[in-house]
Amino acid sequence: MTGDARGWHAGWLPSQAWRAIGTRRVFLPGPSGAGAAVAAEAAGAAGADLVETVAAEIAAAVRTHGGRLDRTGPAGPADLVLALAAAGPGDGVAGWDDLRTEVAGTLGAEGFAITRRAATLVCADAPAGLLHGLFHVLRAGDAAFGAPFGVRRHRPAMRRRMVDHWDNVDVHPVMGQVERGYAGGSLFWTAGAFTADPARIRAYARLLAACGVNAVAVNNVNVHPTEARLLTDRIGEVAAIAGWMRPYGIRVHLSVSFAAPRTVGALHTADPCDPAVRAWWAAAARDVYAAIPDFGGFVVKADSEGQPGPFGYGRDHADGANMLADALAPHGGVVHWRAFVYNHHQDWRDRGTDRAKAAHQHFAPLDGRFRDTVIVQVKHGPVDFQTREPVSPVIAAMPGTRLAVEVQATQEYTGQQRHVCYLGTPWSETLGFGWAGGQTVASVAAAGGGLVAVANTGADAFWTGHPLAQANLYAYGRLAWDPALDPCAVLDEWITLTFGAAAGPDAEPRRTLHAIMDDSWRGYERYTAPLGVGFMVRPGHHYGPDVDGYEYTGWGTYHFADRDGVGVDRTRATGTGFTGQYPQPWSRIYESPDECPDELLLFFHHVPYGHVLRSGTTVIQHIYDSHFAGVEQVERMRERWRALPPGGLLSAALHARVSERLDEQVRSAREWRDQINAYFFRKSGVPDADRRALDGARRPVIPR
Ligand code: GCW
């Protein structure tokens, strides 16, 4: 396996990526070096460890590449100097005093400043900043050691950049070891047993930190009986994971069941206003912090898809979340309380209920009632991680509440890590979405609870099943650090780090990877559900097409196609009124079928097949055209990949894995095309303007 002798892929950290640092002389004041005592005191014990993590990373790099690391002064003729502002590298480092005077005290817990004088200087106020500064130099490579440049300050936009695992302890009879997991088993548990490999978890933490992630929730938000015990008698397992991740600045969070006082405790109720329940949670939190002093907090899915919650006791979500916040507050923890609350036993005949409206209906009225340490975690769209959704109106509706925005790196609805689908593109669009008053999704998340991604990683040797899906995790971390980054530039960073010199600026691997990945999300959209209508996936596992699979169920995900037209009328004028949940200008734009962006038309409107899109084509012809185009795109992707020989960091194993997945993507895309096109042709009776065979049917040749 490329890059690591221990059997798993190095991801974006193969030793070759460290060449620029590893060939140079690096000075990092060490425990016995100048000012170390000051630094350790400023950082606290855990922080001091991060400096040693930085040291270990550099030591490994110089060992491989022939450079040298000094920990005791004077700094001498170093090429790279990393030091805490409070301690400094000692005398004789040109430019350091100016740098420190300019930036000390402005960098926060994780920020850093970098400048190039005679040497490259990295300064941080706290140890985590040095770690992120090191990974920054790693990304920059030789460019960090070229012509001098002035002081550049880097601070994360989002304070918390979290990855949520949906890992189960037991194998769930329907959802398996990892709910919606497409990357092998769990990194933590196998069939009920704690099987985490310390070296692998450390490597995972390193991978996460190197793209900017700083928090991990270890278990599924659907908390089943065994998993509920992670809070109590199995807390040692969580503590072990926390111990392996801590050296990379990652704090561990835990999903808990709202019913825990009843199910793992001995109480007869979980009513959040009952004093015994409050005392139970306070004691539980105390015990957790005794085991994990820097524990991050709880993640809660309540009153959602069968999970227990405050509604069962006639209380609301502020009552429930605040009760848990009060239990955690004395220890510095937060509650991530998910806003994914809706009725999943809806009657499909009931046209007054709209699942898209549910989160806003439940949460917007509670704005201002949540404690400061409650973070309401909102899915980026109003329904459920579809390939294309509008931004959730909840994000603009709760100025008095800390919100985190949740995206799904695990590709439940975007090809399940069998299809290439680079998600940096839609995430960047979502983060940049703004409304009257100058707010954006990114600014709300940055001012509130940050960004959360459902993990796409697992026990698979490539971490993510599809090797190219690694780019999604990488892009998530980078966009959470800086939402203004261009997703194609982020992809380019990932290519450089992952495939190294073989992907040099004009080399074919880089061109091929961009050709395959840059537009892959739009490609996936082309051959799946059209114009934002969503779903049309097979019920249950959600892979592959089934146009009417959810149409007559209780899940609230309908397309309403009939012989005349398709789409969901969510207007105020004639539909569910969902458009009214948006601030201006979107409330107006989405209300109008003429102003609504084409790609969301069927999310907001039910229109006749002959409706002419802003693009000038009819809805029905667009459906046909985009499905043919989507398949052609995937066929070209496969050709490009096949033409690329393996070599260097692009190992034969990786090449073969991607090839095998592209074969499946081509098969699946054709299946989508033929089912969607046949379905809409049969419903509408409208032929294709280009007279292509719409159902992909191969009819028997009847001899004359
Ligand atoms: O997307 C849906 C998934 C469920 C998931 C749920 C959620 C963990 O199909 O598997 O449950 O969302 O986000 O809670």
Side-chain angles (χ1 to χ4, degrees), residues 483-529:
L485 290 173
D486 167 8
C488 278
V490 170
L491 182 58
D492 206 57
E493 281 178 10
W494 174 77
I495 293 170
T496 305
L497 291 171
T498 307
F499 298 106
D506 298 314
E508 196 44 48
R510 182 181 304 275
R511 279 203 296 270
T512 300
L513 285 159
H514 277 295
I516 290 174
M517 297 174 76
D518 284 357
D519 194 38
S520 55
W521 166 63
R522 289 200 181 80
Y524 186 82
E525 178 180 37
R526 285 181 186 107
Y527 60 81
T528 55

Short mmCIF file of all heavy atoms in Angstrom, two decimals, residues 483-529:
data_model
loop_
_atom_site.label_atom_id
_atom_site.label_comp_id
_atom_site.label_asym_id
_atom_site.label_seq_id
_atom_site.Cartn_x
_atom_site.Cartn_y
_atom_site.Cartn_z
N PRO A 483 -13.52 29.09 4.81
CA PRO A 483 -14.62 28.83 3.87
C PRO A 483 -14.47 29.59 2.55
O PRO A 483 -15.17 29.28 1.59
CB PRO A 483 -15.87 29.35 4.60
CG PRO A 483 -15.46 29.61 5.99
CD PRO A 483 -13.98 29.75 6.05
N ALA A 484 -13.58 30.57 2.51
CA ALA A 484 -13.42 31.34 1.27
C ALA A 484 -12.50 30.66 0.27
O ALA A 484 -12.36 31.12 -0.86
CB ALA A 484 -12.89 32.73 1.60
N LEU A 485 -11.88 29.56 0.65
CA LEU A 485 -10.97 28.88 -0.28
C LEU A 485 -11.72 28.40 -1.52
O LEU A 485 -12.88 28.00 -1.44
CB LEU A 485 -10.32 27.67 0.41
CG LEU A 485 -9.31 27.98 1.51
CD1 LEU A 485 -8.88 26.69 2.22
CD2 LEU A 485 -8.09 28.72 0.96
N ASP A 486 -11.02 28.42 -2.65
CA ASP A 486 -11.59 27.91 -3.89
C ASP A 486 -11.51 26.38 -3.86
O ASP A 486 -10.42 25.81 -3.69
CB ASP A 486 -10.76 28.49 -5.05
CG ASP A 486 -11.04 27.79 -6.37
OD1 ASP A 486 -11.98 26.98 -6.43
OD2 ASP A 486 -10.31 28.06 -7.33
N PRO A 487 -12.65 25.70 -4.02
CA PRO A 487 -12.63 24.24 -3.87
C PRO A 487 -11.72 23.53 -4.87
O PRO A 487 -11.19 22.46 -4.57
CB PRO A 487 -14.09 23.83 -4.04
CG PRO A 487 -14.79 25.00 -4.64
CD PRO A 487 -14.01 26.22 -4.26
N CYS A 488 -11.53 24.14 -6.06
CA CYS A 488 -10.62 23.51 -7.03
C CYS A 488 -9.17 23.66 -6.56
O CYS A 488 -8.35 22.76 -6.75
CB CYS A 488 -10.78 24.11 -8.41
SG CYS A 488 -12.16 23.36 -9.27
N ALA A 489 -8.87 24.79 -5.93
CA ALA A 489 -7.51 24.97 -5.39
C ALA A 489 -7.27 24.01 -4.23
O ALA A 489 -6.17 23.46 -4.07
CB ALA A 489 -7.33 26.41 -4.94
N VAL A 490 -8.31 23.77 -3.44
CA VAL A 490 -8.19 22.81 -2.34
C VAL A 490 -7.94 21.40 -2.89
O VAL A 490 -7.10 20.65 -2.39
CB VAL A 490 -9.46 22.83 -1.46
CG1 VAL A 490 -9.46 21.69 -0.47
CG2 VAL A 490 -9.57 24.17 -0.74
N LEU A 491 -8.66 21.09 -3.95
CA LEU A 491 -8.46 19.79 -4.59
C LEU A 491 -7.02 19.68 -5.10
O LEU A 491 -6.38 18.63 -4.97
CB LEU A 491 -9.46 19.64 -5.74
CG LEU A 491 -9.45 18.32 -6.50
CD1 LEU A 491 -9.69 17.14 -5.56
CD2 LEU A 491 -10.51 18.33 -7.60
N ASP A 492 -6.54 20.76 -5.63
CA ASP A 492 -5.17 20.78 -6.13
C ASP A 492 -4.16 20.53 -5.00
O ASP A 492 -3.19 19.78 -5.17
CB ASP A 492 -4.91 22.13 -6.80
CG ASP A 492 -3.83 22.02 -7.85
OD1 ASP A 492 -4.00 21.21 -8.77
OD2 ASP A 492 -2.80 22.71 -7.71
N GLU A 493 -4.41 21.13 -3.85
CA GLU A 493 -3.55 20.88 -2.68
C GLU A 493 -3.56 19.39 -2.35
O GLU A 493 -2.52 18.79 -2.09
CB GLU A 493 -4.13 21.57 -1.43
CG GLU A 493 -3.87 23.03 -1.29
CD GLU A 493 -4.55 23.56 -0.02
OE1 GLU A 493 -5.04 22.77 0.81
OE2 GLU A 493 -4.60 24.79 0.12
N TRP A 494 -4.76 18.83 -2.33
CA TRP A 494 -4.88 17.41 -1.98
C TRP A 494 -4.11 16.54 -2.98
O TRP A 494 -3.42 15.59 -2.60
CB TRP A 494 -6.36 17.01 -1.92
CG TRP A 494 -6.55 15.53 -1.71
CD1 TRP A 494 -6.42 14.85 -0.53
CD2 TRP A 494 -6.87 14.55 -2.71
NE1 TRP A 494 -6.64 13.51 -0.73
CE2 TRP A 494 -6.92 13.30 -2.05
CE3 TRP A 494 -7.11 14.62 -4.07
CZ2 TRP A 494 -7.21 12.12 -2.73
CZ3 TRP A 494 -7.40 13.44 -4.75
CH2 TRP A 494 -7.44 12.20 -4.08
N ILE A 495 -4.22 16.89 -4.26
CA ILE A 495 -3.50 16.12 -5.28
C ILE A 495 -1.99 16.20 -5.04
O ILE A 495 -1.29 15.18 -5.04
CB ILE A 495 -3.86 16.65 -6.70
CG1 ILE A 495 -5.33 16.35 -7.02
CG2 ILE A 495 -2.94 16.02 -7.75
CD1 ILE A 495 -5.85 17.02 -8.30
N THR A 496 -1.50 17.39 -4.78
CA THR A 496 -0.06 17.55 -4.56
C THR A 496 0.40 16.73 -3.37
O THR A 496 1.40 16.00 -3.43
CB THR A 496 0.28 19.04 -4.27
OG1 THR A 496 -0.23 19.82 -5.33
CG2 THR A 496 1.77 19.24 -4.13
N LEU A 497 -0.34 16.85 -2.26
CA LEU A 497 0.09 16.16 -1.05
C LEU A 497 -0.02 14.64 -1.21
O LEU A 497 0.84 13.90 -0.74
CB LEU A 497 -0.75 16.61 0.14
CG LEU A 497 -0.52 18.05 0.60
CD1 LEU A 497 -1.57 18.45 1.63
CD2 LEU A 497 0.89 18.20 1.20
N THR A 498 -1.07 14.20 -1.88
CA THR A 498 -1.35 12.76 -1.94
C THR A 498 -0.52 12.05 -2.99
O THR A 498 -0.06 10.92 -2.77
CB THR A 498 -2.86 12.54 -2.23
OG1 THR A 498 -3.61 13.28 -1.27
CG2 THR A 498 -3.23 11.08 -2.14
N PHE A 499 -0.33 12.72 -4.13
CA PHE A 499 0.36 12.04 -5.23
C PHE A 499 1.74 12.60 -5.51
O PHE A 499 2.44 12.11 -6.39
CB PHE A 499 -0.52 12.05 -6.49
CG PHE A 499 -1.82 11.33 -6.28
CD1 PHE A 499 -3.00 12.02 -6.14
CD2 PHE A 499 -1.84 9.94 -6.16
CE1 PHE A 499 -4.20 11.35 -5.91
CE2 PHE A 499 -3.02 9.26 -5.92
CZ PHE A 499 -4.21 9.98 -5.80
N GLY A 500 2.13 13.64 -4.78
CA GLY A 500 3.50 14.11 -4.79
C GLY A 500 4.00 14.50 -6.16
O GLY A 500 3.27 15.00 -7.01
N ALA A 501 5.28 14.25 -6.36
CA ALA A 501 5.96 14.71 -7.56
C ALA A 501 5.32 14.14 -8.83
O ALA A 501 5.31 14.78 -9.88
CB ALA A 501 7.42 14.34 -7.50
N ALA A 502 4.76 12.93 -8.71
CA ALA A 502 4.13 12.30 -9.89
C ALA A 502 3.03 13.18 -10.45
O ALA A 502 2.62 13.05 -11.59
CB ALA A 502 3.56 10.94 -9.52
N ALA A 503 2.55 14.09 -9.61
CA ALA A 503 1.47 14.96 -10.06
C ALA A 503 1.97 16.38 -10.30
O ALA A 503 1.22 17.33 -10.16
CB ALA A 503 0.35 14.95 -9.03
N GLY A 504 3.22 16.54 -10.63
CA GLY A 504 3.83 17.85 -10.87
C GLY A 504 2.93 18.79 -11.66
O GLY A 504 2.00 18.32 -12.31
N PRO A 505 3.21 20.08 -11.67
CA PRO A 505 2.26 21.08 -12.16
C PRO A 505 1.59 20.72 -13.49
O PRO A 505 0.40 20.90 -13.65
CB PRO A 505 3.10 22.34 -12.30
CG PRO A 505 4.32 22.12 -11.49
CD PRO A 505 4.48 20.65 -11.27
N ASP A 506 2.38 20.21 -14.44
CA ASP A 506 1.77 19.92 -15.74
C ASP A 506 1.66 18.42 -16.01
O ASP A 506 1.40 18.01 -17.13
CB ASP A 506 2.61 20.55 -16.85
CG ASP A 506 2.63 22.05 -16.70
OD1 ASP A 506 1.55 22.60 -16.47
OD2 ASP A 506 3.73 22.65 -16.76
N ALA A 507 1.88 17.65 -14.97
CA ALA A 507 1.92 16.21 -15.21
C ALA A 507 0.52 15.67 -15.45
O ALA A 507 -0.48 16.22 -14.99
CB ALA A 507 2.57 15.50 -14.04
N GLU A 508 0.48 14.56 -16.16
CA GLU A 508 -0.79 13.97 -16.54
C GLU A 508 -1.65 13.56 -15.34
O GLU A 508 -2.87 13.79 -15.35
CB GLU A 508 -0.54 12.78 -17.48
CG GLU A 508 -1.76 12.32 -18.25
CD GLU A 508 -2.60 13.46 -18.83
OE1 GLU A 508 -2.02 14.37 -19.46
OE2 GLU A 508 -3.83 13.46 -18.65
N PRO A 509 -1.06 12.99 -14.30
CA PRO A 509 -1.94 12.61 -13.18
C PRO A 509 -2.76 13.79 -12.65
O PRO A 509 -3.94 13.66 -12.38
CB PRO A 509 -0.96 12.10 -12.11
CG PRO A 509 0.21 11.63 -12.88
CD PRO A 509 0.32 12.54 -14.07
N ARG A 510 -2.13 14.95 -12.54
CA ARG A 510 -2.87 16.11 -12.03
C ARG A 510 -3.99 16.51 -12.99
O ARG A 510 -5.12 16.75 -12.58
CB ARG A 510 -1.92 17.29 -11.80
CG ARG A 510 -2.62 18.52 -11.22
CD ARG A 510 -1.66 19.68 -11.03
NE ARG A 510 -0.52 19.32 -10.21
CZ ARG A 510 -0.51 19.37 -8.88
NH1 ARG A 510 -1.57 19.77 -8.23
NH2 ARG A 510 0.56 19.00 -8.21
N ARG A 511 -3.66 16.55 -14.28
CA ARG A 511 -4.69 16.92 -15.27
C ARG A 511 -5.84 15.92 -15.25
O ARG A 511 -7.01 16.29 -15.29
CB ARG A 511 -4.07 17.00 -16.67
CG ARG A 511 -3.33 18.31 -16.93
CD ARG A 511 -3.24 18.58 -18.43
NE ARG A 511 -2.43 17.57 -19.10
CZ ARG A 511 -1.10 17.67 -19.27
NH1 ARG A 511 -0.47 18.74 -18.85
NH2 ARG A 511 -0.43 16.72 -19.88
N THR A 512 -5.47 14.65 -15.16
CA THR A 512 -6.51 13.61 -15.16
C THR A 512 -7.40 13.74 -13.92
O THR A 512 -8.62 13.67 -14.02
CB THR A 512 -5.85 12.21 -15.18
OG1 THR A 512 -5.07 12.12 -16.37
CG2 THR A 512 -6.88 11.11 -15.15
N LEU A 513 -6.76 13.93 -12.78
CA LEU A 513 -7.56 14.01 -11.55
C LEU A 513 -8.49 15.22 -11.58
O LEU A 513 -9.66 15.11 -11.20
CB LEU A 513 -6.63 14.07 -10.33
CG LEU A 513 -6.00 12.70 -10.01
CD1 LEU A 513 -4.74 12.86 -9.16
CD2 LEU A 513 -7.00 11.79 -9.31
N HIS A 514 -8.01 16.35 -12.08
CA HIS A 514 -8.92 17.50 -12.20
C HIS A 514 -10.03 17.21 -13.20
O HIS A 514 -11.19 17.55 -12.97
CB HIS A 514 -8.15 18.76 -12.63
CG HIS A 514 -7.48 19.46 -11.48
ND1 HIS A 514 -8.20 20.04 -10.46
CD2 HIS A 514 -6.18 19.66 -11.18
CE1 HIS A 514 -7.36 20.58 -9.58
NE2 HIS A 514 -6.13 20.35 -9.99
N ALA A 515 -9.68 16.59 -14.32
CA ALA A 515 -10.70 16.30 -15.34
C ALA A 515 -11.78 15.40 -14.77
O ALA A 515 -12.96 15.54 -15.08
CB ALA A 515 -10.06 15.67 -16.56
N ILE A 516 -11.39 14.48 -13.91
CA ILE A 516 -12.36 13.54 -13.35
C ILE A 516 -13.15 14.18 -12.21
O ILE A 516 -14.36 13.99 -12.09
CB ILE A 516 -11.62 12.28 -12.85
CG1 ILE A 516 -11.11 11.48 -14.05
CG2 ILE A 516 -12.49 11.43 -11.95
CD1 ILE A 516 -10.24 10.29 -13.67
N MET A 517 -12.46 14.95 -11.38
CA MET A 517 -13.08 15.35 -10.11
C MET A 517 -13.71 16.74 -10.09
O MET A 517 -14.71 16.95 -9.40
CB MET A 517 -12.04 15.24 -8.98
CG MET A 517 -11.56 13.81 -8.79
SD MET A 517 -10.23 13.68 -7.58
CE MET A 517 -11.15 13.85 -6.05
N ASP A 518 -13.13 17.70 -10.78
CA ASP A 518 -13.60 19.10 -10.65
C ASP A 518 -15.12 19.23 -10.79
O ASP A 518 -15.78 19.89 -10.01
CB ASP A 518 -12.96 20.00 -11.71
CG ASP A 518 -11.51 20.34 -11.40
OD1 ASP A 518 -11.01 19.92 -10.33
OD2 ASP A 518 -10.86 21.01 -12.23
N ASP A 519 -15.65 18.57 -11.81
CA ASP A 519 -17.07 18.74 -12.14
C ASP A 519 -17.88 17.49 -11.77
O ASP A 519 -18.98 17.28 -12.27
CB ASP A 519 -17.18 19.02 -13.66
CG ASP A 519 -18.56 19.55 -14.04
OD1 ASP A 519 -19.13 20.34 -13.27
OD2 ASP A 519 -19.07 19.16 -15.11
N SER A 520 -17.31 16.66 -10.89
CA SER A 520 -17.94 15.36 -10.64
C SER A 520 -19.27 15.47 -9.89
O SER A 520 -20.17 14.67 -10.09
CB SER A 520 -16.97 14.43 -9.90
OG SER A 520 -16.51 15.04 -8.72
N TRP A 521 -19.39 16.47 -9.02
CA TRP A 521 -20.67 16.64 -8.31
C TRP A 521 -21.78 17.01 -9.31
O TRP A 521 -22.87 16.44 -9.28
CB TRP A 521 -20.52 17.70 -7.22
CG TRP A 521 -21.81 18.20 -6.66
CD1 TRP A 521 -22.75 17.47 -5.98
CD2 TRP A 521 -22.32 19.54 -6.75
NE1 TRP A 521 -23.80 18.28 -5.62
CE2 TRP A 521 -23.57 19.54 -6.08
CE3 TRP A 521 -21.84 20.73 -7.30
CZ2 TRP A 521 -24.34 20.70 -5.97
CZ3 TRP A 521 -22.62 21.88 -7.18
CH2 TRP A 521 -23.84 21.86 -6.52
N ARG A 522 -21.50 17.93 -10.20
CA ARG A 522 -22.52 18.29 -11.19
C ARG A 522 -22.80 17.11 -12.11
O ARG A 522 -23.92 16.89 -12.55
CB ARG A 522 -22.11 19.53 -12.00
CG ARG A 522 -22.16 20.77 -11.15
CD ARG A 522 -22.23 22.06 -11.95
NE ARG A 522 -22.25 23.17 -11.01
CZ ARG A 522 -21.17 23.67 -10.40
NH1 ARG A 522 -19.98 23.18 -10.67
NH2 ARG A 522 -21.29 24.65 -9.54
N GLY A 523 -21.76 16.33 -12.39
CA GLY A 523 -21.95 15.13 -13.19
C GLY A 523 -22.92 14.17 -12.50
O GLY A 523 -23.85 13.64 -13.12
N TYR A 524 -22.70 13.96 -11.22
CA TYR A 524 -23.58 13.05 -10.46
C TYR A 524 -25.02 13.57 -10.49
O TYR A 524 -25.97 12.82 -10.66
CB TYR A 524 -23.06 12.93 -9.02
CG TYR A 524 -23.83 11.92 -8.22
CD1 TYR A 524 -23.55 10.56 -8.31
CD2 TYR A 524 -24.88 12.30 -7.39
CE1 TYR A 524 -24.27 9.62 -7.60
CE2 TYR A 524 -25.61 11.38 -6.67
CZ TYR A 524 -25.30 10.04 -6.78
OH TYR A 524 -26.03 9.11 -6.08
N GLU A 525 -25.13 14.88 -10.33
CA GLU A 525 -26.45 15.50 -10.37
C GLU A 525 -27.12 15.27 -11.73
O GLU A 525 -28.33 15.03 -11.81
CB GLU A 525 -26.29 17.00 -10.11
CG GLU A 525 -27.58 17.79 -10.17
CD GLU A 525 -27.34 19.27 -9.90
OE1 GLU A 525 -26.31 19.81 -10.35
OE2 GLU A 525 -28.20 19.89 -9.24
N ARG A 526 -26.32 15.33 -12.81
CA ARG A 526 -26.90 15.20 -14.16
C ARG A 526 -27.63 13.87 -14.35
O ARG A 526 -28.66 13.82 -14.99
CB ARG A 526 -25.81 15.31 -15.24
CG ARG A 526 -25.34 16.73 -15.44
CD ARG A 526 -24.28 16.88 -16.52
NE ARG A 526 -23.83 18.26 -16.48
CZ ARG A 526 -22.64 18.67 -16.00
NH1 ARG A 526 -21.73 17.79 -15.63
NH2 ARG A 526 -22.36 19.94 -15.94
N TYR A 527 -27.05 12.79 -13.81
CA TYR A 527 -27.68 11.49 -14.11
C TYR A 527 -28.58 10.97 -12.98
O TYR A 527 -29.07 9.86 -13.05
CB TYR A 527 -26.63 10.44 -14.53
CG TYR A 527 -25.53 10.10 -13.53
CD1 TYR A 527 -25.76 9.21 -12.49
CD2 TYR A 527 -24.25 10.62 -13.69
CE1 TYR A 527 -24.75 8.88 -11.60
CE2 TYR A 527 -23.24 10.29 -12.82
CZ TYR A 527 -23.48 9.43 -11.77
OH TYR A 527 -22.48 9.10 -10.90
N THR A 528 -28.79 11.77 -11.92
CA THR A 528 -29.68 11.32 -10.85
C THR A 528 -30.95 12.18 -10.84
O THR A 528 -31.37 12.65 -11.88
CB THR A 528 -28.94 11.31 -9.50
OG1 THR A 528 -28.39 12.62 -9.29
CG2 THR A 528 -27.82 10.29 -9.50
N ALA A 529 -31.57 12.38 -9.67
CA ALA A 529 -32.86 13.10 -9.62
C ALA A 529 -32.72 14.51 -10.20
O ALA A 529 -31.79 15.22 -9.85
CB ALA A 529 -33.35 13.17 -8.18
#
